[in-house]
């Protein structure tokens, strides 16, 4: 938004919904590389359209940031939940203990 302090115009000023653009010929108000126009019949002023567009972009970026944080949390929590067979918990699978007659004995030759 330029607040009418520059010769640059908003795209929405000329291309807004319902806007009729009429060029003003032989105007001394603009430099040689610019042209003067009149805009009429717009359903909504271009300032309001720009504000709504900016608000939508801010909302979508906040939604995207929150969703990215959620996805990151899900993947980080998922990695920590891997469990081996008989993993690190005390109540998991315990292999049977060897009895004394199955223990290895040294051989003397």
């Amino acid at each position: 938004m330029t607040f009418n302090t520059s010769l640059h115009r908003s795209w929405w000023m000329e291309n807004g919904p319902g806007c009729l653009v009429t060029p003003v010929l032989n105007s001394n108000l603009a430099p040689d590389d610019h042209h003067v126009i009149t805009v009429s019949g717009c359903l909504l002023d271009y300032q309001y359209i720009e504000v709504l567009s900016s608000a939508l972009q801010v909302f979508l970026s906040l939604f995207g940031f929150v969703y990215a944080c959620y996805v990151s949390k899900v993947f980080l929590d998922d990695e920590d939940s891997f469990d081996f067979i008989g993993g690190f918990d005390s109540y998991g699978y315990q292999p049977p203990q060897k009895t004394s007659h199955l223990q290895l004995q040294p051989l003397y030759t």
Side-chain angles (χ1 to χ4, degrees):
M1 296 177 68
T2 62
F3 299 107
N4 296 325
T5 59
S6 135
L7 290 175
H8 299 284
R9 292 188 297 271
S10 168
W11 183 86
W12 286 108
M13 183 178 181
E14 297 179 26
N15 299 302
C19 292
L20 299 172
V21 178
T22 307
V24 176
L25 303 175
N26 300 327
S27 175
N28 296 330
L29 297 176
D32 294 335
D33 57 346
H34 288 78
H35 61 278
V36 178
I37 61 169
T38 60
V39 180
S40 62
C42 295
L43 297 176
L44 194 60
D45 287 340
Y46 73 94
Q47 295 97 337
Y48 298 121
I49 295 174
E50 287 183 1
V51 168
L52 289 173
S53 174
S54 299
L56 179 65
Q57 290 176 8
V58 168
F59 173 75
L60 289 176
S61 66
L62 288 174
F63 176 75
F65 179 75
V66 170
Y67 186 70
C69 290
Y70 170 74
V71 169
S72 175
K73 180 185 178 304
V74 167
F75 280 119
L76 289 176
D77 287 346
D78 190 34
E79 290 180 13
D80 294 339
S81 66
F82 182 75
D83 189 18
F84 295 99
I85 297 175
F88 302 113
D89 49 353
S90 61
Y91 57 86
Y93 173 78
Q94 296 293 327
Q97 298 295 323
K98 294 181 182 179
T99 59
S100 63
H101 70 278
L102 293 178
Q103 290 181 352
L104 296 175
Q105 301 295 328
L107 293 174
Y108 297 105
T109 55

